[in-house]
Every structure is written in C-alpha cells, then in structure tokens.
Amino acid sequence: MRELVLFFRKRKYELLLCALLQHLFIGIFLSDLPAYTKIIWPINMAVLGIFSTGVFIGKGRRTIILRNILFILTILLPLALTYATDFLTVMLALNVTYVVFFIFIFIEISRFLIRPGYIDIDIISASACGYLLLIEISVFLFQAFYYDDVHSFKGIDISSPAGTFMDFVYFCSITFTSIGFGDITPSQHHTRLTTALLGIVGQFYSVVLIGILISKFSSKKKIVADSSEND
C-alpha cells in the first residue's frame, strides 16, 4: 500500500494528464455511443477520480472528505442515467457536480504551479492538466446550460448523451484554441457571453502560464550560474 501511495505521489500529474486525455478524447476510438454512456463513461470517471488522488495527498482532512464525496457522485450520477425517470434533472445535477469537481482539482493544480521556483516534468504535466481541466469545466458548464434549455446552442448532436458530450468537447477545444469553425454556435446571450469569457480565460491562462514557466526557467538558470560562480 505504501508503494502505491508513493507511486501516486511521484507520478500524480502524469497520471492525471493521461486520465484527462482519455476522458476528453476517447471518443476518437468509439463508434458505439450508447455503450459509452452506460459503460465507458462511469469507468472513465472512476479512472479520472483515482488518478486525481495524488494531487490531494497531504491535504487537510476536510479537503480529502470533500474530494471523496465529489468523486463518488461523479461515478454514481452517470450510472443513475440508466434508471432515471427524470433524465434532464439528473443530467443537470451531473453537470453541476462535474463542474465543481473539476474546479476543485484545478485550484489544487494552480496552487502547485504558482509555488515552486523551478521547472521540471511535474510543472510541465501540471500545466497541461490545468489547460485540460479548463476544457472539462467548460464542457460540463455548457452541458448544464444545454440541458436546462436545448435552444441555448445550435449544431449539437442530440441523439445521445455521449454525442452531446463529444460535441461540447469539440466546441470547447476549438474555442480555447481560438479556431472557431462555426458549425456549433451559442444561440442565447448568456451562452454567447460565457463562451466569450471562457475564450478569454483560456488565452489568459496560456499567457500567465508562459510567464510562470519563463520565470521558473530563468530562476533555475540564475541559481546554476550563481552556483558556478561560487565554485
């Protein structure tokens, strides 16, 4: 057990990065969307929750408890979709829970990125995790809007929850990367403004992250130079 904890502590950001990538983009390899909703989605969230464990090692008891509650909910809510009599209510609760869960992880990632005065593989992996977490937050926020009002977006696949999810992953990814093909568009003022805000947040994150990485790299070079001079 101790070896497992040490492994999660040492590779926590690399593991989380892999989990986020598979959660967002596993649809590349899937054609059976109903199977995704019933089977793969809960498994994906279980993997993501387990691989996010390392980020919270050493945190306070309340933080761990809250994280565990959110983790359990993120697994149970997709399973509840199969048996739900009020599908829209469950989907709305699911999306709100996921937004809170991913914000919770993003805050911990941001704290780590700001603290250290060095740059290594953990910093690079955590930076990529932060970017993908912003996409995750956006996806489930927009899904919450969509399931509250299906007219809030145009061009979304409504044939299955999996199709809707993958369309929002695509939409949020091209929004954050400033591509914007226009095949999916927000159609109400609150979704348009939220899209604009999240696009700005994505660009701001990139700019600030570059500044942080350059600062850490410069600090590391200065330390090495000072050490060489002292020798």
Side-chain angles (χ1 to χ4, degrees):
M1 185 65 181
R2 183 180 178 185
E3 289 78 9
L4 186 61
V5 172
L6 289 173
F7 177 74
F8 273 96
R9 185 190 293 270
K10 185 177 180 181
R11 300 296 182 188
K12 53 189 173 184
Y13 298 110
E14 293 94 324
L15 290 171
L16 179 59
L17 179 59
C18 291
L20 288 167
L21 285 170
Q22 65 87 25
H23 180 249
L24 286 169
F25 301 110
I26 196 172
I28 295 171
F29 309 101
L30 295 177
S31 57
D32 189 349
L33 297 187
Y36 174 87
T37 304
K38 293 179 180 179
I39 302 170
I40 298 175
W41 192 352
I43 293 173
N44 270 350
M45 290 311 301
V47 171
L48 185 51
I50 292 169
F51 282 8
S52 69
T53 302
V55 178
F56 296 94
I57 292 176
K59 302 300 178 182
R61 185 167 176 269
R62 291 182 180 178
T63 300
I64 297 296
I65 291 173
L66 179 57
R67 180 259 171 201
N68 289 340
I69 292 171
L70 289 171
F71 173 40
I72 292 169
L73 288 174
T74 57
I75 296 174
L76 292 180
L77 286 170
L79 293 173
L81 288 175
T82 307
Y83 310 100
T85 54
D86 190 346
F87 175 81
L88 292 179
T89 300
V90 174
M91 280 302 298
L92 189 59
L94 181 150
N95 285 291
V96 171
T97 301
Y98 279 29
V99 168
V100 175
F101 179 62
F102 288 120
I103 288 176
F104 197 50
I105 301 174
F106 180 77
I107 290 171
E108 293 301 324
I109 295 286
S110 300
R111 287 175 177 171
F112 170 72
L113 288 173
I114 293 170
R115 267 198 320 266
Y118 57 86
I119 184 167
D120 61 6
I121 188 63
D122 279 349
I123 294 292
I124 301 299
S125 298
S127 302
C129 286
Y131 195 81
L132 294 179
L133 283 166
L134 285 175
I135 294 177
E136 294 271 19
I137 293 165
S138 303
V139 167
F140 290 104
L141 180 61
F142 285 140
Q143 280 199 151
F145 288 148
Y146 182 74
Y147 283 109
D148 183 56
D149 182 1
V150 294
H151 301 294
S152 57
F153 282 89
K154 295 178 181 178
I156 296 292
D157 178 5
I158 60 173
S159 62
S160 70
T164 301
F165 169 72
M166 291 174 193
D167 272 2
F168 274 116
V169 171
Y170 161 75
F171 172 73
C172 292
S173 298
I174 64 172
T175 298
F176 270 84
T177 52
S178 301
I179 299 174
F181 291 116
D183 49 345
I184 297 175
T185 56
S187 56
Q188 295 186 355
H189 68 276
H190 64 285
T191 50
R192 288 170 180 164
L193 292 175
T194 305
T195 301
L197 177 61
L198 291 173
I200 293 169
V201 168
Q203 295 302 309
F204 183 76
Y205 176 84
S206 300
V207 171
V208 171
L209 181 61
I210 291 171
I212 290 173
L213 294 177
I214 291 174
S215 175
K216 293 179 188 298
F217 184 72
S218 300
S219 297
K220 185 176 181 179
K221 288 183 67 176
K222 186 176 184 301
I223 291 170
V224 172
D226 291 344
S227 177
S228 300
E229 288 177 5
N230 292 333
D231 293 341

